[in-house]
Amino acid sequence: MSITLKTPEEIEKMRIAGRLAADVLEMIAEYVVPGVSTEELDQRCHDYMVNHQQTIPAPLNYHGFPKSICTSVNHTVCHGIPSHKVLKKGDIVNIDITVIKDEFHGDTSEMFVVGEPSILAKRLIETTQKALYLGISLVKPGVKLGDIGHAIQRYVEGKRYSVVREYCGHGIGRVFHEEPQVLHYGKPDTGITLEEGMTFTIEPMVNAGKRHVKLLSDDWTVVTKDRSLSAQFEHTLAVTATGFEIFTLRSAETIEATHIPSEAYNA
Ligand code: MF3
Ligand code: CO
Ligand code: CO
């Protein structure tokens, strides 16, 4: 298999799928409150996707995943399975939404804070979102994937946090996870060179403690080995002639915020 370049017609379909995935995150935000179970959040998203959007929740039955969204709470890094577990004040949770519309995937995730975050949680979440924006800002034809991974790693480690290595961003389109792998660490001037028409996700997972992770016995839930807090943000985007287009941008996110000159991160 190789990297598929999308035609303008396919890009338009990705735009629609991306917007729909972002809409699910915007819809669910008001329900992420103390006392709600992650299963209730799953059911609400499932109903919205299937009945309101007429989209397909891509995670459901994907390699046997049992639910329609991923909910990763506190020290869960990714792929948390919605359950009867109830959210309480101070929890942080990543909600990861992937929809399929007209054969194309839109994949995006965001952190939510239940009640008031601790100072550590707030700083971790801000750093992770900025790491995503920093990676996105670099995207344009001619740039190499290693340049992006390196910039994310350097920024995160500069804040004394760590980048998870075992999971990465990915090409996306008709296929949920396709080439290339988009690592959130690496060396400048290595890896494949970006070309117009490539579509992929960037989705850094950042731990407050060490980078090492552990897979739980359910074979899905990934947690930090040292039980430190973990955060993640994800967008689906395309490489355009002059830069990038984010398909999963939410209304609360300004496009300016996502274009960050890399000098701004040197501090
Ligand atoms: N949405 C995740 C990603 O960003 C993948 C979830 S796969 C699942 O790639 F099976 F766990 F849902
Ligand atoms: Co993804
Ligand atoms: Co995702």
Side-chain angles (χ1 to χ4, degrees):
M1 276 302 287
S2 55
I3 298 172
T4 60
L5 297 181
K6 275 72 178 181
T7 65
E9 293 72 29
E10 292 172 325
I11 293 282
E12 179 54 25
K13 291 184 181 189
M14 299 271 314
R15 207 173 266 136
I16 292 165
R19 178 67 247 170
L20 289 163
D23 285 346
V24 180
L25 285 179
E26 291 186 334
M27 180 280 297
I28 203 64
E30 66 177 288
Y31 300 102
V32 186
V33 293
V36 77
S37 70
T38 49
E39 213 154 49
E40 281 173 68
L41 298 174
D42 176 73
Q43 277 159 14
R44 239 177 230 288
C45 289
H46 178 94
D47 178 70
Y48 189 79
M49 290 186 260
V50 171
N51 297 318
H52 179 82
Q53 296 187 324
Q54 278 99 42
T55 56
I56 299 167
L60 189 59
N61 301 320
Y62 180 77
H63 295 279
F65 192 79
K67 297 285 181 183
S68 295
I69 67 173
C70 297
T71 51
S72 302
V73 181
N74 294 338
H75 69 291
T76 303
V77 173
C78 63
H79 304 165
I81 303 173
S83 72
H84 56 270
K85 195 186 143 84
V86 162
L87 297 178
K88 57 181 194 308
K89 275 188 198 159
D91 283 345
I92 63 170
V93 55
N94 175 277
I95 300 185
D96 193 336
I97 302 292
T98 313
V99 306
I100 306 171
K101 182 70 165 184
D102 203 5
E103 292 186 0
F104 283 82
H105 290 75
D107 187 8
T108 187
S109 82
E110 177 186 8
M111 295 303 297
F112 294 88
V113 175
V114 184
E116 281 300 300
S118 67
I119 290 171
L120 169 70
K122 196 166 175 249
R123 182 172 176 268
L124 175 69
I125 289 171
E126 272 174 22
T127 301
T128 308
Q129 189 168 34
K130 283 193 180 169
L132 169 61
Y133 291 159
L134 171 60
I136 292 173
S137 300
L138 297 172
V139 170
K140 64 174 182 190
V143 167
K144 295 187 179 179
L145 278 183
D147 300 331
I148 293 169
H150 175 76
I152 292 172
Q153 180 182 14
R154 181 168 164 276
Y155 175 65
V156 167
E157 291 178 354
K159 299 283 182 190
R160 299 281 162 232
Y161 294 144
S162 64
V163 174
V164 171
R165 306 273 175 103
E166 288 82 354
Y167 302 88
C168 58
H170 49 92
I172 183 168
R174 277 195 180 80
V175 177
F176 192 169
H177 296 105
E178 60 183 36
E179 283 181 43
Q181 290 195 33
V182 180
L183 305 183
H184 306 109
Y185 63 94
K187 296 197 191 331
D189 207 29
T190 64
I192 61 131
T193 303
L194 298 184
E195 289 175 45
E196 184 179 359
M198 288 179 179
T199 54
F200 54 85
T201 72
I202 304 181
E203 48 181 299
M205 283 142 274
V206 175
N207 297 347
K210 292 198 162 51
R211 68 174 179 82
H212 303 96
V213 300
K214 187 171 88 176
L215 182 64
L216 297 190
S217 59
D218 61 19
D219 267 350
W220 281 107
T221 312
V222 178
V223 298
T224 55
K225 223 175 201 171
D226 62 9
R227 297 185 66 86
S228 63
L229 282 185
S230 188
Q232 179 178 28
F233 283 85
E234 173 175 28
H235 273 312
T236 298
L237 53 110
V239 184
T240 65
T242 53
F244 60 86
E245 176 180 343
I246 303 174
F247 295 139
T248 47
L249 204 66
R250 298 180 297 281
S251 344
E253 292 176 292
T254 60
I255 189 74
E256 296 75 43
T258 65
H259 286 69
I260 303 174
S262 41
E263 311 86 72
Y265 283 98
N266 288 344

